[in-house]
Amino acid sequence: MQRQLSPSLDFLAVTPSMPHSADAAPTSPQAACRPWIGPLLLALLAWQAAAPALAQAAPLTVELIASQGRLTDGQPDAQALNLRGTWLRPGGDVLRGELLSEDKFSHRGGVAAAGYTAVLSPDWVAAGTLALGTGGSNWANQRIDLELSRSWGDSRSLVTRAALYKAWFDDQRSDRGLRLALVAYLPGNLVLEAGSALNLSEPGAVHSAMPLASATLGRDAEQYLSQRLSRGSE
């Protein structure tokens, strides 16, 4: 697997995400998922039409990702659909764009995000991401992420990551936090990662944490299988 020190836009799924409005009227998962499938499929078709021209300028990868989550406490299942594009730039820099449509905690929302990764040296990589969201209190109106990665050893098979983020929500609420991770690239195209996201929500200085561990087997641009386990608390 290609050693990609930069994050994808996976912060959308990594940050602790607790429901902010428990008194909202529940929405049927079947009724909620239908309205956003059409726009994302249209976006995918447009992206596919533009992909040949973009690929001539730089290698381009397009992913369409569907996910399903099971929630407790009587909440309907969570569903999400991601459309993600990745461009490899000269010198190893990476430009990314992503559209997310999501149902969770009886609400429907979405995010448009763009990120850039700069290779500073063979050992150091910096990345930044800007995201704009809509749909209510469970999605940030704006969010900024900054990350710095460092590879270690002669083979650079061990990578440490540290990231800071800030998010602004409705009703003058905000989140800020720190993400730390350790990534090991092992023989047999196996990648292991362990880390945690530490979050502080305002008002009220509410602390939350989400440790996570993941394993990925395979090669980029061919096929791969990933499994991630995480747990949130507040």
Side-chain angles (χ1 to χ4, degrees), residues 50-135:
L54 293 172
Q56 291 179 358
L60 169 67
T61 300
V62 177
E63 300 173 88
L64 181 63
I65 306 167
S67 60
Q68 183 85 11
R70 178 174 297 176
L71 305 180
T72 59
D73 197 28
Q75 293 283 346
D77 290 349
Q79 301 171 344
L81 192 63
N82 298 62
L83 178 62
R84 179 182 298 164
T86 304
W87 292 268
L88 181 62
R89 308 296 298 165
D93 291 2
V94 178
L95 174 64
R96 288 187 173 84
E98 181 162 339
L99 298 175
L100 167 71
S101 185
E102 188 175 27
D103 287 278
K104 64 180 181 180
F105 306 129
S106 301
H107 288 76
R108 182 173 66 253
V111 175
Y116 194 83
T117 298
V119 178
L120 305 179
S121 74
D123 292 328
W124 289 94
V125 172
T129 301
L130 173 65
L132 303 176
T134 184

Side-chain angles (χ1 to χ4, degrees), residues 8 17 23 34 63 65 104 135 141 176 190:
S8 63
S17 183
D23 57 348
R34 284 193 295 268
E63 300 173 88
I65 306 167
K104 64 180 181 180
N141 296 320
R176 66 181 186 272
L190 176 63

Side-chain angles (χ1 to χ4, degrees), residues 31-208:
C33 71
R34 284 193 295 268
W36 48 263
I37 290 179
L40 274 185
L41 290 179
L42 290 175
L44 176 61
L45 292 175
W47 208 320
Q48 286 178 328
L54 293 172
Q56 291 179 358
L60 169 67
T61 300
V62 177
E63 300 173 88
L64 181 63
I65 306 167
S67 60
Q68 183 85 11
R70 178 174 297 176
L71 305 180
T72 59
D73 197 28
Q75 293 283 346
D77 290 349
Q79 301 171 344
L81 192 63
N82 298 62
L83 178 62
R84 179 182 298 164
T86 304
W87 292 268
L88 181 62
R89 308 296 298 165
D93 291 2
V94 178
L95 174 64
R96 288 187 173 84
E98 181 162 339
L99 298 175
L100 167 71
S101 185
E102 188 175 27
D103 287 278
K104 64 180 181 180
F105 306 129
S106 301
H107 288 76
R108 182 173 66 253
V111 175
Y116 194 83
T117 298
V119 178
L120 305 179
S121 74
D123 292 328
W124 289 94
V125 172
T129 301
L130 173 65
L132 303 176
T134 184
S137 59
N138 292 311
W139 291 269
N141 296 320
Q142 300 93 29
R143 174 171 170 144
I144 298 175
D145 288 63
L146 298 174
E147 179 177 288
L148 189 63
S149 302
R150 171 70 156 92
S151 59
W152 304 88
D154 294 337
S155 62
R156 297 186 175 91
S157 59
L158 193 65
V159 177
T160 51
R161 291 176 174 171
L164 297 173
Y165 63 86
K166 174 80 175 190
W168 294 266
F169 297 84
D170 292 340
D171 302 322
Q172 297 184 332
R173 294 184 301 103
S174 66
D175 283 353
R176 66 181 186 272
L178 170 69
R179 295 196 313 273
L180 300 172
L182 176 65
V183 185
Y185 294 87
L186 303 177
N189 300 314
L190 176 63
V191 182
L192 301 179
E193 180 175 0
S196 184
L198 307 174
N199 190 77
L200 180 65
S201 297
E202 298 289 356
V206 180
H207 294 267
S208 59

